[in-house]
Amino acid sequence: MPDVKINAKLFAILGTFFLLVAVVYAIWTRGTEWVGIPALFALAAMQYMIAYYLRLVDKEYKTGVDDQEDGEIAEYAGTYARFAPWSWWPLGLGVSCAILFIGVAVDWWIFIIGLFLGLFFVTGWVFEYSKGQHKH
């Protein structure tokens, strides 16, 4: 069973390590490198944020069947999500994402087309259960 306190300590140690690395790197480059220094400080901050979050949720942490060493697979079975049957919206969203990335590489007007297509397909996917055959 994973212990949340151990995980929080691990992330705090990692945050301290990355903070020390960031300070050493800033001294080593004499503060002239403006990509790595903020990235290392941001990495340390993220480690500390995860450690802080794990400490906050320590009291509410509930162990599930997957956390038990003697848990059975049959106990873990169940419905994970609800998916729309025969939905074409995700395919259109994937095509619009491809157009978006092509637009980033080629020109801005292709990006705008992909953006509007993406908004259309996301809206259609979100409201798929609101009208039509699968309305409820």
Side-chain angles (χ1 to χ4, degrees), residues 7-25 40-52 55:
N7 291 337
K9 288 178 186 177
L10 174 68
F11 280 105
I13 291 169
L14 282 172
T16 305
F17 170 74
F18 286 120
L19 184 64
L20 290 173
V21 168
V23 169
V24 168
Y25 188 71
L40 287 170
F41 279 114
L43 188 59
M46 285 186 256
Q47 302 298 315
Y48 284 129
M49 287 189 322
I50 293 172
Y52 178 69
R55 283 193 180 109

